[in-house]
Amino acid sequence: MKKKTSVTGRICMALVFLFLYAPLIYILFFSFNDSNSTSLFAGFSVRWYKTLFTEEDIIVALRNTLILAVLSSVIAVVLGTAASIGIDACKKGWFRTGIMSVTNIPMMAPEIVTGISMMLLFVFVGRLVNKSDVLGFPTLLIAHVTFNLPYVILSVMPKLRQVDPHLPEAAEDLGMKPVRAFFKVVVPEIVPGILTGLIMSFTMSFDDFIISYFTSGPGFQTLPIAIYSMTKKRVKPDMYALSAIMFVCIFILLVVYNFVQARSQRREKK
Amino acid sequence: MKNRVFSAKAASAPYVVWSVLFVIAPLVFVAYYAFTGSDGGFTLVNISKFFSAYFDTFIRSLWYGVLSTIICLIIAYPFAYWLAHSGASVQRTCVMLVMLPMWMNFLIRTYAWMNILQDTGIINAALSKLGFDTVHMINTGGAVIFGMVYNFLPYMILPLYSIMTKIDPSMLDAASDLGCSKLQSIIKVVLPQSVPGIVSGITMVFVPSVSTFYISQKLGGGSFDLIGDVIERQFTLSYNYNLGAALSLVLMVLILVSMFFMRRFSDADSDGEVLM
């Protein structure tokens, strides 16, 4: 079996990448624009990178986004891993089918529907307790944990199924208490799944706009929401500078992640 | 032994409670608001508006969603095939490169496309420099579809790629040994086995396309309203929650029904399977 793609194939693949990266290259280029336009290039400058660090609301929004992403992904991982263990222990039946169907809902439903459905709930509860400004950090956190949970469960469950059920039994036979056996034997096996769930949750939460848009209030803005309100008016290259910085960070993270993964794969082969 | 199974099952209790409170209850609220008027009484007015006042918008959303899904499939299928038949390190790098744009804020990327496609943008500037006529691209239906294809293409590529790496390459060899041409072996061997990937790719592109609201605002210039735009406005501008809920409910039911048939078609077992 030869592992080689034809020249046509390679050209077409390159074209797809050009398509995917055109706006990113554009963003990178215009982030160095000297004027405050995002379509007419007036000369090279790094002024937008400098002004970025003086813009209070962007920095606050970035901080908010990070807090939200860390908290929601950690909560989702704890709840989701526990849930996976519980679901895995259940035999196939109505309970298991039901719970897996419910898990699929936030992934299957259009984001706008998830967003407005939660908003309706929050506004309703807010009216019950006579609070008109119920939308804010707590509601955002609840919403983010909710849409992160399916990703955690769907990355942990397959790993759990791979665990040999005799392993914890063996550990118990050798005198471990069940809980300790679980943490010593099962948990290390499912750590890769937990990590995948954590990373996916973090990025989903960091990047989410649509659901956050409906479940957030004026008191707590995340970065995507701040960007949205800025793109309603004319965007200045400072937004492009911010995106360029984020692009570089994500790029480095991905390269490192890939490197680590490639190394562990090679080690597994050995 | 029994005791252990029970305590393991109990671990899912918080999640069950969470799901009931924040997945099921909100959907009940959507249904409740959809069938009530602003006075709280039962009414079908809002639901019926979907089929009267907003039916054209809905048909447009559906049409754009279908078109962008088909275009994504046409681009992604050969791409995924070629990728799955590249060397291991090429595959790893390319998958990373496909995923990278997904992690950049889609609002900014769409805004950049708006800059690129506009009448005074770089494409038209280049065209007029070269002596060609400029092309009006922004604020057209085509630009909206273009934006959808751009934003959701990775969601088509990744499931297709992951299913194609699972196809046993010796089957392709066998097909060619038995006299199949390359195209024949793709149609007879690769295509049938990649159906689950096609199905999850289609759902992952179609659902966000049909319900989007930002892309149409930026690249359609407001004159190509989609159903997502209408829903969004009910919650952020006109504060008609009941109408917004009704439109969302119909949209969601239609999506769920079409997905049910898609799943039937592919016999996909969804229990704990990651889509990507």
Side-chain angles (χ1 to χ4, degrees):
Chain A
M1 164 84 202
K2 59 172 199 275
K3 282 258 180 194
K4 220 167 185 190
T5 307
S6 64
V7 179
T8 358
R10 264 186 261 171
I11 292 172
C12 291
M13 281 172 80
L15 284 176
V16 171
F17 278 122
L18 182 68
F19 172 57
L20 286 177
Y21 279 85
L24 298 177
I25 297 165
Y26 187 88
I27 286 167
L28 220 56
F29 184 70
F30 274 91
S31 68
F32 292 109
N33 195 2
D34 196 24
S35 76
N36 60 6
S37 157
T38 52
S39 51
L40 284 172
F41 198 73
F44 181 87
S45 116
V46 290
R47 59 183 270 224
W48 295 109
Y49 287 87
K50 282 184 195 149
T51 51
L52 198 60
F53 293 100
T54 60
E55 280 170 277
E56 193 83 26
D57 41 343
I58 291 182
I59 293 170
V60 170
L62 182 65
R63 202 198 59 205
N64 286 350
T65 313
L66 282 172
I67 294 172
L68 185 64
V70 169
L71 270 180
S72 70
S73 53
V74 168
I75 295 174
V77 159
V78 173
L79 274 176
T81 309
S84 311
I85 293 161
I87 299 167
D88 194 63
C90 293
K91 290 198 192 74
K92 288 216 169 174
W94 65 270
F95 179 74
R96 193 183 165 130
T97 320
I99 206 167
M100 287 319 286
S101 311
V102 173
T103 303
N104 275 323
I105 291 177
M107 296 183 66
M108 290 297 179
E111 281 185 277
I112 188 168
V113 175
T114 309
I116 63 128
S117 70
M118 300 195 92
M119 176 187 176
L120 287 174
L121 171 78
F122 295 145
V123 169
F124 184 84
V125 172
R127 259 184 223 157
L128 279 186
V129 296
N130 265 327
K131 254 181 86 177
S132 58
D133 56 343
V134 67
L135 296 178
F137 176 69
T139 55
L140 261 179
L141 185 63
I142 290 173
H144 280 229
V145 171
T146 307
F147 73 68
N148 283 339
L149 273 167
Y151 293 94
V152 176
I153 292 176
L154 294 189
S155 9
V156 175
M157 285 279 283
K159 292 279 170 214
L160 265 176
R161 243 179 288 156
Q162 286 168 14
V163 177
D164 186 346
H166 299 305
L167 276 178
E169 279 168 28
E172 279 168 53
D173 287 347
L174 293 170
M176 271 191 186
K177 288 210 174 83
V179 177
R180 196 172 138 80
F182 177 79
F183 278 99
K184 278 272 175 191
V185 179
V186 180
V187 170
E189 295 275 312
I190 60 172
V191 159
I194 295 175
L195 276 181
T196 313
L198 186 72
I199 294 169
M200 275 168 94
S201 299
F202 182 87
T203 50
M204 299 291 292
S205 167
F206 191 84
D207 217 29
D208 176 71
F209 162 66
I210 298 176
I211 295 170
S212 308
Y213 181 59
F214 291 104
T215 51
S216 67
F220 192 90
Q221 273 207 328
T222 64
L223 198 56
I225 294 169
I227 291 174
Y228 177 73
S229 43
M230 276 173 218
T231 59
K232 285 213 142 178
K233 298 164 256 160
R234 268 193 57 188
V235 168
K236 280 184 287 172
D238 57 346
M239 273 293 104
Y240 281 9
L242 178 69
S243 306
I245 294 174
M246 277 161 61
F247 178 80
V248 172
C249 292
I250 295 166
F251 186 76
I252 293 170
L253 277 178
L254 267 180
V255 169
V256 170
Y257 177 75
N258 248 301
F259 183 74
V260 172
Q261 213 188 20
R263 227 178 49 173
S264 72
Q265 265 175 10
R266 234 173 288 148
R267 208 178 292 154
E268 256 170 49
K269 264 183 199 161
K270 277 178 195 167
Chain B
M1 180 65 201
K2 259 235 166 86
N3 204 5
R4 193 177 74 208
V5 173
F6 175 76
S7 61
K9 278 182 190 167
S12 65
Y15 173 68
V16 173
V17 173
W18 186 282
S19 297
V20 169
L21 281 181
F22 301 120
V23 177
I24 308 218
L27 292 177
V28 173
F29 272 98
V30 173
Y32 171 76
Y33 273 83
F35 288 108
T36 49
S38 50
D39 55 346
F42 176 81
T43 174
L44 284 173
V45 171
N46 295 311
I47 297 279
S48 69
K49 270 197 188 151
F50 186 94
F51 298 99
S52 53
Y54 299 109
F55 196 64
D56 292 344
T57 316
F58 173 66
I59 292 296
R60 184 190 294 132
S61 309
L62 211 58
W63 175 232
Y64 284 14
V66 169
L67 269 182
S68 61
T69 309
I70 292 172
I71 298 170
C72 279
L73 187 60
I74 292 172
I75 300 174
Y77 201 87
F79 182 90
Y81 178 81
W82 283 318
L83 183 55
H85 292 264
S86 307
S89 63
V90 176
Q91 285 189 29
R92 215 179 2 248
T93 316
C94 286
V95 169
M96 187 196 93
L97 286 175
V98 169
M99 284 165 84
L100 183 54
M102 291 163 76
W103 282 329
M104 297 295 299
N105 188 288
F106 89 98
L107 305 163
I108 282 286
R109 285 181 294 142
T110 307
Y111 193 88
W113 271 122
M114 190 181 95
N115 282 154
I116 296 171
L117 296 177
Q118 67 195 358
D119 291 338
T120 54
I122 50 167
I123 293 180
N124 276 322
L127 283 175
S128 59
K129 270 248 168 74
L130 294 168
F132 295 107
D133 285 337
T134 57
V135 186
H136 178 67
M137 289 173 286
I138 197 74
N139 301 348
T140 59
V144 178
I145 296 170
F146 182 89
M148 291 174 176
V149 171
Y150 174 77
N151 272 299
F152 307 126
L153 183 63
Y155 296 99
M156 185 67 92
I157 292 177
L158 293 174
L160 282 177
Y161 162 75
S162 85
I163 200 102
M164 281 190 198
T165 51
K166 289 189 189 106
I167 296 175
D168 188 354
S170 57
M171 287 183 86
L172 280 174
D173 291 341
S176 70
D177 286 347
L178 295 168
C180 272
S181 72
K182 204 155 186 208
L183 190 66
Q184 271 177 321
S185 67
I186 288 176
I187 292 171
K188 295 208 164 153
V189 178
V190 180
L191 198 59
Q193 293 192 63
S194 60
V195 168
I198 297 175
V199 169
S200 55
I202 288 178
T203 41
M204 284 171 82
V205 173
F206 180 71
V207 174
S209 306
V210 83
S211 58
T212 185
F213 64 91
Y214 185 78
I215 298 169
S216 44
Q217 282 168 15
K218 285 294 151 202
L219 299 176
S223 40
F224 293 89
D225 255 2
L226 300 180
I227 198 72
D229 296 304
V230 181
I231 295 175
E232 187 239 344
R233 254 178 275 138
Q234 305 313 318
F235 288 94
T236 55
L237 274 177
S238 42
Y239 294 105
N240 190 345
Y241 289 3
N242 301 95
L243 178 59
L247 298 178
S248 318
L249 185 68
V250 182
L251 178 69
M252 187 152 111
V253 168
L254 287 170
I255 286 175
L256 287 181
V257 167
S258 54
M259 232 133 62
F260 176 76
F261 281 107
M262 288 274 294
R263 297 244 139 178
R264 264 291 158 84
F265 175 65
S266 74
D267 289 319
D269 172 26
S270 65
D271 182 62
E273 205 166 329
V274 186
L275 283 163
M276 270 168 47

